[in-house]
Amino acid sequence: MSSPVATPPSPPSPPSTSAKGAEPVRVQRSLVARVLARPEIGALAAAIAIFVFFFAVAPPFRTAEALSTVLYASSTIGIVAVGVALLMIGGEFDLSSGVAVTTSALASAMISYQFSLNVWVGVLVSLLISLAIGFVNGYLLVRTKLPSFLITLSTFFVLQGLNLGVTKLVTGTVATTNVSDLDGFASAKAIFAADIPLGFMNIKMSVLWWLLFVLFATWLLLRTRTGNWIFASGGNQDSARAVGVPVAKVKIGLFMGVGLMAWFLGQHLLFNFSTVQAGLGVGNEFIYIIAAVVGGALLTGGYGSAIGSALGAFIFGMTTQGIVYAGWDPNWFKTFLGAMLLLAVLVNLYVKNYASTRK
């Protein structure tokens, strides 16, 4: 009789799959991991720490009037920082945003006053100018492929020169004429710069507009296809273009969004003070960018949030006013600014890496 032939062991059976086929099973991340993955978590922790610090060391900081002042200072940064944050998520910078604020205010004031028009005419014309500036920045970016840093730096110098030169030519000084006596001023002030009594304190209309802009930008980023396009364009624009994302239109739209926010802040400054200095705004573009970075936006694009930019602006508002309320030398603010930027980048990077490894 022949010896029986040994049969090889059968291979292990594959793991069972669902009826739909080899669809990978999604791993459910823990709540802590999902919370830490949010871009604004680092800024939230910093905002709480700074608030507690100034609340403890500066007694005037504890009043409702101080909170109103802090919120107003934050709104004058945060309004433009919202647009800048979206632009940075889309992978670009805008170094002209600071002087663009002044350009919109100057245009609105001089057009209305020099031609004896209702101020709303100047407001609308300045809106078109601001959107045109954003469009030119975006169009030059997508056509020339030059870095946005260089394009908007050029725009910065052009606008800075125009602000000073045209204002001096038209008015004879470096400031616009007071427009408080023009038709439509009262209604424009009510929209852009009214005081809102809350009983225990008054807040500026700019604070409410700032919060509305943050909510709208958050909805745009997280609940719309356009938001997906913004993240994709900033993460990898070549891959985004390959899957049908209109990268050029997205980037032009983001620059125009910065122009819109710059226009709004410019109108607020005009109707809050009735006149505008032509040299204002220089250097503010860095503050807007830093507020977005402190709020979690990456310099490489593809990551960030509108809420984070609001927290970054709130940190600035607390710091600028808290130093005054504490009786310290305000010249130290720039030192704090640089240290806070570096610390925020390191904290955000650590939290992002930690969240990516935590289940």
Side-chain angles (χ1 to χ4, degrees):
M1 295 180 59
S2 59
S3 60
V5 178
T7 58
S10 59
S13 59
S16 60
T17 59
S18 62
K20 293 184 178 181
E23 183 177 337
V25 178
R26 297 182 63 182
V27 178
Q28 183 67 31
R29 302 179 69 190
S30 67
L31 177 61
V32 174
R34 281 181 282 145
V35 169
L36 289 176
R38 293 298 308 158
E40 59 271 7
I41 289 303
L44 177 60
I48 294 173
I50 292 172
F51 180 85
V52 171
F53 174 76
F54 281 117
F55 191 88
V57 302
F61 188 82
R62 305 165 192 169
T63 65
E65 291 79 6
L67 177 60
S68 175
T69 304
V70 167
L71 288 174
Y72 175 65
S74 302
S75 70
T76 59
I77 298 170
I79 287 174
V80 183
V82 172
V84 170
L86 266 63
L87 180 64
M88 291 182 64
I89 295 171
E92 307 298 342
F93 292 92
D94 190 347
L95 297 181
S96 66
S97 57
V99 290
V101 171
T102 308
T103 299
S104 72
L106 293 172
S108 181
M110 287 189 289
I111 289 171
S112 299
Y113 186 85
Q114 300 303 322
F115 295 100
S116 300
L117 300 173
N118 190 294
V119 297
W120 282 103
V121 176
V123 168
L124 294 177
V125 173
S126 66
L127 172 60
L128 297 177
I129 293 173
S130 296
L131 293 177
I133 292 171
F135 176 82
V136 169
N137 281 336
Y139 182 78
L140 289 176
L141 174 78
V142 300
R143 291 290 293 179
T144 65
K145 309 299 182 184
L146 290 173
S148 56
F149 175 88
L150 294 177
I151 291 174
T152 58
L153 181 61
S154 301
T155 306
F156 165 83
F157 286 118
V158 170
L159 293 180
Q160 184 183 16
L162 287 174
N163 289 348
L164 292 169
V166 174
T167 304
K168 186 68 178 294
L169 179 66
V170 172
T171 68
T173 66
V174 292
T176 62
T177 309
N178 191 301
V179 296
S180 59
D181 293 331
L182 295 180
D183 293 339
F185 180 86
S187 60
K189 183 178 177 66
I191 296 296
F192 293 104
D195 290 310
I196 303 175
L198 297 181
F200 62 98
M201 70 175 182
N202 294 334
I203 64 171
K204 281 288 187 182
M205 179 66 77
S206 61
V207 176
L208 294 184
W209 280 113
W210 171 42
L211 297 178
L212 288 175
F213 291 145
V214 171
L215 291 175
F216 176 79
T218 301
W219 170 80
L220 180 71
L221 285 174
L222 302 181
R223 292 291 183 265
T224 69
R225 182 173 59 176
T226 301
N228 292 332
W229 288 350
I230 294 173
F231 281 109
S233 298
N236 190 322
Q237 62 177 338
D238 293 330
S239 299
R241 192 178 291 109
V243 298
V245 175
V247 175
K249 292 181 179 179
V250 168
K251 290 184 180 288
I252 292 175
L254 289 173
F255 276 105
M256 294 179 71
V258 175
L260 177 64
M261 295 295 97
W263 164 80
F264 191 93
L265 180 59
Q267 303 314 296
H268 164 75
L269 296 176
L270 172 62
F271 294 111
N272 192 47
F273 301 106
S274 304
T275 184
V276 181
Q277 295 286 331
L280 291 177
V282 178
N284 286 352
E285 58 278 349
F286 294 110
I287 296 180
Y288 305 145
I289 292 173
I290 293 172
V293 173
V294 169
L298 295 182
L299 298 176
T300 52
Y303 189 79
S305 77
I307 294 176
S309 74
L311 289 170
F314 187 54
I315 288 173
F316 275 98
M318 287 192 294
T319 304
T320 54
Q321 301 305 312
I323 288 176
V324 175
Y325 290 137
W328 300 339
D329 185 354
N331 292 320
W332 287 100
F333 173 71
K334 295 294 184 181
T335 301
F336 174 83
L337 185 64
M340 183 175 64
L341 173 61
L342 179 60
L343 181 62
V345 172
L346 293 175
V347 170
N348 289 336
L349 181 61
Y350 172 79
V351 171
K352 185 171 180 286
N353 291 337
Y354 179 77
S356 64
T357 58
R358 186 182 177 93
K359 296 294 182 67

